[in-house]
């Protein structure tokens, strides 16, 4: 990771934390006002879609447009729950959601290196990503999420370079069954068979990979 | 030198679908069981993981999961008058090998046969008269009835978690299911898989013609499922790599996903892989098996004594094991005497290609092995055969299980077989074609049989199995009749061109058709015309049970696995509740 991107990421996190909270309050306090023409996605997801790892905010740059649109649609319809995203998504028309999804899918953003994992954790994460675990009946992540977790359009988002904190919270939500918008319960089935150590390992492993530039 | 091992209660030859289920039940009942598997051990992780498992060249073309034909194959001829030659490369049918057997590479199509299939000879005589059949045809009743098997079909489907829609529950017809099916005691364990676009086109057309479309019963599951053994299966993702491949997602029912972990955890069971059974050993009376002799992967020879021997290999290999062991009289087509190898049957598969305009997008790659939509209106005896000159039938459906790039490229008749014209046609039609399958029954006839080859031997020096088979006239007539019905459906679907390919003789082993090899060690009610009794127990050696599609007296219109699962639990019921309590012949000869 370059000195530039380190400084850059630090700067962004600082700005976003101050920017996002008032906006949140505003949305919660006044649900009625006319929809903003462009909701402040950048406030959390970054000007280049780089996300905000520490706050569990996912990176969106270069993510599958179909995946992003499905998530926005699900937030709007209440089939994926998040207090912040739900409100934004509801304010958008279907066409606007498609537009935002396409915009983030077309972005590229520098990779923000994440905190280092222990060697054991990295090895376990690698095992789950490439091979799976027969004793837990968990198949390899990459089987759906693509080689090195680069994602497979239409439905499987990339994992490589994603915020480890976000991945861990997403896996935990699937594991606890609080996130239910996975087709065929595919992610819930897998996540329920993982334990805390696995979740940290596999999230950290994918967070440690540079995102695909393809 | 042969090493004699410690005696066990049961030895199981072949740890595939049947072997896993039988071994699990007998080990759970407290018996010591050794499972001998000629192939390697293998599991969903790591052996079945992608991207390796989606290597079409390795698995579909070079058939990595199949029996190694350089060590052990089958010789083939159409007619008794010909010299059989070894099949060097599997094409027409694909016998699997290794832990989990052929079920690892199946498509998951999990049908039941109908009640009248089990009384085919009687039913045909009663409905069409004594002289209706070609005199060469040797069909017979099974010795079991659908009602005998129903609880066992049910148990098998719940083991697999099969996804489907019942058409008849306790004689009440259910909307959306198959109205022709025989009564089932309850609904399928999981709802049907999602209907594909090609299935929707088929359903609409078939319904407009007055037929009864229903979703193919699939053991690639529509939702997560926990089976009665406590095994958890996942939802199928329609990746299009079922048949010839293994499932990476724990979504296809196979021994690895439905029962093997439970079996392997039982200390009464011991799995030995890489073990090639040479023969079942008999005592001096030839009426009692003493165990088996096998050779391990490094060539050491062992004798494994056992009180009970279960032959649960692939159908063809069950027959060969009996012939190599001298159990039962080999069948002689010239005299009609003998039973082992008699009544070999197959599956009569035809196809119709429906070519659409380019605005009809089929996406054939998005499929499971059993996500089709089908009709049974022309299957079995579901239509009047009077005046048609044949018995049997076929289910018709849009069941194409994959659109894999090397092997799937439908082109209309008249297209160049190679070069630029062919390539252009492939590009044009790949995504705008529906292949309808006509999956037909197979009657037995006097000449079609299995025996030991007089010339060719396997890597261990044992004679190969010899197959003598050609399509009975009965089945070719059936194929013409039902394929014409399928072509009408193709036209009603709106295809701009429909190419019907009814199965034609002679049978060729160089073109893939089906791995539904059935018969050769058939079940029945008399030792004169069957190898095993209604409980799949050898008439000749009562402590040998031969469990496989080898027991089918002839083959019905549907994929055989569901019926084999039912027969497996039926035989287990007889073993645990009758035979093992009082070993001996269960049916007086």
């Amino acid at each position: 990771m370059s000195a530039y991107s380190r400084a850059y990421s630090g700067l962004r996190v600082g700005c976003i934390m101050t920017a996002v909270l008032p906006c949140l309050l505003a949305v919660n306090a006044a649900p009625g006002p006319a929809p903003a023409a462009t909701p402040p996605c950048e406030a959390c997801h970054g000007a280049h879609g780089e996300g905000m790892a520490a706050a569990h905010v996912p990176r969106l740059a270069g993510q599958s447009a179909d995946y992003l649109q499905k998530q926005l649609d699900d937030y709007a319809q209440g089939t994926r729950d998040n207090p912040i995203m739900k409100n934004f998504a509801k304010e958008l028309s279907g066409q606007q959601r498609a537009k935002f999804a396409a915009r983030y899918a077309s972005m590229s953003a520098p990779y923000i290196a994440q905190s280092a994992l222990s060697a054991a954790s990295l090895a376990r994460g690698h095992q789950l990503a490439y091979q799976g675990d027969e004793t837990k009946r968990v198949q390899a992540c990459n089987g759906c999420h693509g080689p090195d977790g680069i994602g497979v359009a239409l439905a499987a988002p990339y994992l490589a370079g994603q915020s480890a904190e976000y991945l861990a919270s997403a896996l935990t939500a699937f594991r606890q069954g609080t996130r239910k918008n996975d087709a065929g319960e595919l992610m819930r089935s897998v996540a329920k068979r993982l334990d805390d150590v696995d979740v940290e390992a596999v999230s950290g492993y994918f967070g440690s990979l540079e995102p695909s530039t393809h | 030198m042969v090493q004699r091992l410690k005696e066990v209660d049961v030895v199981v030859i072949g740890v595939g679908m049947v072997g896993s289920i039988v071994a699990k039940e007998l080990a759970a009942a407290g018996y010591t069981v050794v499972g001998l598997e000629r192939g390697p051990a293998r599991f969903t992780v790591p052996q079945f993981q992608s991207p390796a498992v989606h290597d079409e060249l390795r698995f579909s073309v070079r058939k990595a999961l199949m029996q190694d034909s350089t060590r052990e194959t089958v010789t083939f001829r159409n007619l008794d008058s010909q010299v059989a030659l070894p099949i060097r490369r599997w094409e027409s049918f694909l016998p699997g090998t290794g832990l989990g057997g052929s079920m690892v590479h199946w498509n998951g199509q999990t049908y039941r046969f109908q009640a009248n299939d089990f009384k085919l000879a009687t039913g045909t005589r009663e409905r069409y008269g004594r002289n209706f059949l070609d005199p060469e045809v040797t069909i017979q009743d099974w010795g079991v009835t659908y009602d005998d098997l129903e609880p066992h079909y049910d148990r098998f489907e719940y083991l697999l978690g099969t996804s489907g829609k019942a058409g008849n529950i306790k004689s009440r017809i259910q909307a959306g299911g198959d109205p022709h099916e025989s009564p089932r005691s309850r609904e399928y364990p999981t709802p049907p898989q999602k209907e594909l676009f090609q299935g929707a086109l088929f359903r609409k057309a078939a319904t407009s013609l007055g037929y009864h479309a229903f979703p193919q019963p699939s053991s690639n599951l529509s939702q997560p499922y926990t089976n009665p053994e406590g095994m958890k299966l996942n939802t199928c993702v329609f990746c299009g790599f079922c048949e010839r491949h293994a499932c990476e997602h724990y979504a296809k029912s196979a021994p690895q996903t439905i029962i093997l972990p439970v079996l392997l955890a039982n200390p009464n069971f011991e799995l030995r892989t890489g073990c090639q059974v040479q023969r079942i050993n008999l005592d001096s009376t030839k009426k009692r098996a003493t165990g088996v002799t096998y050779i391990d992967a490094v060539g050491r020879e062992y004798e494994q004594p056992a009180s009970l021997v279960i032959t649960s290999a692939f159908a063809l290999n069950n027959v060969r094991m009996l012939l190599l062991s001298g159990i039962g009289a080999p069948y002689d087509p010239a005299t009609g005497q003998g039973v082992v190898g008699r009544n070999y049957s197959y599956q009569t598969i035809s196809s119709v290609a429906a070519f659409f305009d380019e605005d009809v997008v089929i996406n054939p790659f998005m499929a499971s092995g059993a996500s089709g939509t089908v009709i049974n209106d022309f299957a079995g005896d579901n239509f009047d055969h009077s005046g048609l000159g044949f018995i049997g039938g076929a289910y018709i459906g849009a069941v194409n299980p994959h659109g894999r790039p090397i092997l799937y490229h439908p082109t209309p008749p008249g297209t160049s077989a190679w070069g630029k014209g062919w390539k252009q046609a492939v590009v044009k039609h790949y995504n705008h074609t529906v292949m309808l399958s006509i999956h037909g029954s197979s009657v037995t006839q006097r000449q079609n049989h299995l025996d030991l080859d007089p010339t060719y031997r396997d890597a261990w020096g044992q004679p190969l199995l010899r197959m003598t088979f050609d399509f009975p006239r009965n089945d070719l007539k059936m194929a013409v009749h039902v394929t014409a019905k399928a072509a009408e459906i193709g036209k009603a679907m709106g295809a701009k061109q429909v190419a019907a390919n009814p199965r034609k003789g002679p049978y060729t082993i160089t073109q893939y058709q089906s791995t539904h090899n059935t018969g050769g060690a058939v079940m029945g009610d008399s030792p004169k015309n069957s190898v095993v009794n209604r409980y799949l127990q050898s008439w000749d050696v009562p402590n040998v049970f031969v469990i496989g599609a080898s027991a089918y007296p002839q083959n019905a219109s549907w994929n055989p696995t569901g019926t084999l699962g039912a027969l497996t639990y039926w035989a287990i019921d007889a073993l645990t509740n009758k035979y093992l309590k009082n070993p001996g012949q269960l049916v007086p000869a």
Side-chain angles (χ1 to χ4, degrees):
Chain A
M1 177 185 186
S2 69
Y4 165 76
S5 60
R6 211 168 10 242
Y8 175 84
S9 65
L11 181 69
R12 297 301 305 176
V13 170
C15 296
I16 286 162
M17 290 313 279
T18 50
V20 74
L21 294 173
C23 129
L24 251 179
L25 291 171
V27 170
N28 286 339
T38 52
C41 313
E42 294 84 358
C44 296
H45 290 286
H48 304 280
E50 66 274 19
M52 186 163 52
H56 297 214
V57 176
R59 178 188 169 89
L60 304 181
Q63 190 56 282
S64 148
D66 297 270
Y67 172 76
L68 292 178
Q69 192 183 337
K70 179 180 188 308
Q71 303 312 308
L72 281 172
D73 291 347
D74 287 352
Y75 284 131
Q77 289 154 16
T79 45
R80 181 175 177 185
D81 192 27
N82 176 286
I84 302 169
M85 286 309 301
K86 171 168 83 179
N87 288 316
F88 285 137
K90 274 184 187 154
E91 300 295 315
L92 300 172
S93 68
Q95 209 174 12
Q96 285 173 312
R97 294 197 293 268
K99 220 168 106 182
F100 278 112
R103 181 190 294 177
Y104 278 95
S106 68
M107 284 183 182
S108 63
Y111 169 60
I112 301 163
Q114 307 184 26
S115 52
L117 273 186
S118 71
S121 205
L122 208 58
R124 175 63 177 164
H126 182 273
Q127 183 197 3
L128 290 170
Y130 273 83
Q131 190 178 78
D133 183 342
E134 179 67 20
T135 60
K136 293 193 169 180
R137 297 169 64 77
V138 169
Q139 67 270 49
C141 309
N142 293 349
C144 290
H145 290 280
D148 294 323
I150 63 170
V152 175
L154 309 167
Y158 70 68
L159 307 177
Q162 186 54 278
S163 149
E165 288 85 351
Y166 167 72
L167 289 176
S169 63
L171 276 173
T172 303
F174 281 128
R175 220 175 128 196
Q176 294 171 344
T178 52
R179 182 171 170 188
K180 300 175 181 173
N181 70 331
D182 51 331
E185 302 180 36
L186 292 168
M187 279 311 303
R188 275 173 285 172
S189 301
V190 170
K192 278 174 188 161
R193 296 170 197 171
L194 302 177
D195 59 21
D196 291 342
V197 175
D198 292 332
V199 168
E200 192 196 342
V202 76
S203 304
Y205 168 75
F206 281 115
S208 78
L209 299 179
E210 295 229 7
S212 169
T213 51
H214 296 287
Chain B
M1 181 174 142
V2 182
Q3 188 183 337
R4 190 182 152 90
L5 301 168
K6 188 166 166 273
E7 176 157 2
V8 293
D9 295 324
V10 188
V11 65
V12 171
I13 305 172
V15 188
M17 180 186 100
V18 173
S20 303
I21 296 174
V22 173
K24 187 260 152 186
E25 292 300 318
L26 298 185
Y31 300 97
T32 52
V33 183
V34 163
L36 298 173
E37 168 54 47
R38 66 181 172 181
R42 50 191 184 162
F43 297 93
T44 307
V45 174
Q47 283 88 357
F48 304 161
Q49 289 302 291
S50 73
V53 82
H54 290 186
D55 183 339
E56 191 188 4
L57 183 63
R58 180 173 173 221
F59 291 100
S60 284
V61 178
R62 295 180 179 156
K63 309 186 182 74
L65 298 178
M66 310 313 165
Q67 178 176 322
D68 182 352
S69 61
T70 66
R71 289 149 69 93
E72 186 185 8
T73 186
V74 174
T75 69
F76 167 75
R77 58 183 181 175
N78 282 123
L79 305 166
D80 275 331
S81 55
Q82 297 168 329
V83 174
L85 293 172
I87 298 172
R88 305 283 181 178
R89 193 171 69 183
W90 302 113
E91 294 293 357
S92 168
F93 53 89
L94 310 172
T97 197
L99 188 60
S102 295
M103 201 189 199
V104 166
H105 79 257
W106 77 318
N107 261 331
Q109 303 174 1
T110 317
Y111 293 94
R112 296 181 177 195
F113 291 176
Q114 295 181 175
N116 51 15
D117 289 307
F118 297 98
K119 293 181 168 176
L120 189 67
T122 305
T124 301
R125 262 198 313 275
E126 285 172 1
R127 187 168 179 183
Y128 303 111
R130 199 160 281 278
N131 300 319
F132 186 76
L133 283 174
D134 185 329
E136 291 297 302
V137 171
T138 56
I139 59 168
Q140 61 194 51
D141 294 352
W142 287 57
V144 283
T145 65
Y146 177 82
D147 290 342
D148 289 332
L149 293 182
E150 202 288 330
H152 306 288
Y153 270 121
D154 180 83
R155 188 172 177 193
F156 183 65
E157 288 160 358
Y158 273 73
L159 179 76
L160 272 56
T162 305
S163 300
K165 179 74 193 84
N168 182 337
I169 299 177
K170 297 177 178 165
S171 298
R172 294 175 74 99
I173 299 300
Q174 310 289 312
D178 167 26
H180 297 287
E181 73 177 359
S182 298
R184 54 179 67 239
S185 49
R186 52 176 169 166
E187 185 52 270
Y188 282 96
T190 53
Q193 287 202 279
K194 284 178 183 161
E195 186 161 75
L196 304 179
F197 179 57
Q198 57 174 284
L201 291 175
F202 177 85
R203 172 184 294 278
K204 200 173 157 199
T207 305
S208 76
L209 294 170
Y211 307 141
H212 303 86
F214 66 97
Q216 197 173 29
S218 172
S219 293
N220 312 296
L221 301 201
S222 62
Q223 63 182 41
Y225 177 72
T226 304
N227 79 5
E229 305 289 346
M231 303 290 296
K232 291 183 188 330
L233 289 106
N234 295 338
T235 310
C236 162
V237 302
F238 294 85
C239 78
F241 284 81
C242 297
E243 171 215 48
R244 304 188 187 204
H245 297 255
C247 179
E248 79 211 71
H249 291 294
Y250 298 94
K252 177 166 85 173
S253 307
Q256 280 80 351
T257 55
I258 59 174
I259 204 160
L260 267 173
V262 180
L263 170 64
L264 295 172
N266 190 324
N268 289 336
F269 178 74
E270 185 190 339
L271 172 68
R272 297 182 200 148
T273 55
C275 295
Q276 185 80 17
V277 177
Q278 301 296 299
R279 67 188 161 275
I280 298 166
N281 298 315
L282 304 178
D283 71 5
S284 57
T285 69
K286 305 288 179 196
K287 294 284 174 200
R288 183 176 165 75
T290 57
V292 304
T293 294
Y294 70 89
I295 296 176
D296 76 3
V298 292
R300 294 173 297 187
E301 193 169 345
Y302 295 93
E303 185 193 340
Q304 175 60 65
S307 314
L308 172 66
V309 177
I310 309 285
T311 308
S312 52
F314 189 68
L316 297 173
N317 294 322
N318 272 350
V319 177
R320 181 168 178 241
M321 186 57 58
L322 296 178
L323 291 168
L324 291 174
S325 309
I327 298 175
Y331 172 66
D332 179 355
T335 63
Q337 300 297 303
V339 285
V340 183
R342 177 177 168 273
N343 275 28
Y344 169 71
S345 57
Y346 192 45
Q347 200 88 70
T348 316
I349 310 263
S350 307
S351 68
V352 166
F355 298 96
F356 289 84
D357 280 325
E358 286 173 40
D359 60 345
V360 179
V361 177
I362 300 300
N363 290 339
F365 46 84
M366 214 158 25
S368 91
S371 54
T373 304
V374 303
I375 60 167
N376 270 342
D377 298 87
F378 297 99
D381 201 24
N382 295 342
F383 57 107
D384 187 4
H385 292 70
S386 303
L388 295 176
F390 66 87
I391 60 160
Y395 72 77
I396 302 171
V399 300
N400 197 59
H402 73 92
R404 296 193 292 258
I406 301 177
L407 292 185
Y408 185 79
H409 19 66
T411 54
T415 303
S416 321
W418 55 279
K420 194 174 172 187
W422 179 78
K423 288 175 187 166
Q424 283 170 342
V426 169
V427 170
K428 186 170 175 199
H429 295 287
Y430 173 84
N431 211 10
H432 313 288
T433 304
V434 175
M435 297 297 294
L436 299 181
S437 176
I438 296 94
H439 192 280
S441 53
S442 176
V443 298
T444 47
Q445 66 178 18
R446 195 174 305 276
Q447 185 222 237
N448 291 337
H449 72 289
L450 306 169
D451 62 0
L452 291 178
D453 192 275
T455 308
Y456 294 96
R457 291 172 181 266
D458 69 12
W460 297 266
Q462 302 252 56
L464 294 179
L465 190 75
R466 178 171 66 177
M467 174 186 291
T468 306
F469 180 77
D470 201 357
F471 287 115
R473 279 175 302 211
N474 178 89
D475 295 346
L476 295 175
K477 281 185 203 166
M478 179 277 293
V480 167
H481 181 82
V482 185
T483 305
K485 303 291 181 189
E488 288 169 15
I489 298 172
K491 288 191 190 101
M493 287 168 73
K496 63 177 180 183
Q497 189 182 354
V498 171
N501 307 294
R503 181 59 57 192
K504 293 186 179 74
Y507 170 64
T508 170
I509 51 109
T510 60
Q511 179 188 40
Y512 179 72
Q513 295 170 54
S514 168
T515 306
H516 305 160
N517 311 84
T518 54
V522 312
M523 62 194 297
D525 53 17
S526 161
K528 288 193 180 66
N529 64 5
S530 58
V531 174
V532 292
N533 65 24
R534 68 194 303 257
Y535 302 113
L536 305 177
Q537 179 185 34
S538 165
W539 287 111
D540 298 273
V541 183
N543 65 335
V544 172
F545 281 67
V546 186
I547 310 178
S550 48
Y552 296 11
Q554 58 277 329
N555 202 7
S557 300
W558 299 273
N559 309 60
T561 305
T563 298
L564 180 53
L567 283 178
T568 302
Y569 276 121
W570 162 256
I572 289 168
D573 185 53
L575 277 163
T576 52
N577 292 321
K578 295 190 173 83
Y579 178 84
L580 287 163
K581 287 180 179 164
N582 183 18
Q585 184 56 255
L586 294 176
V587 179

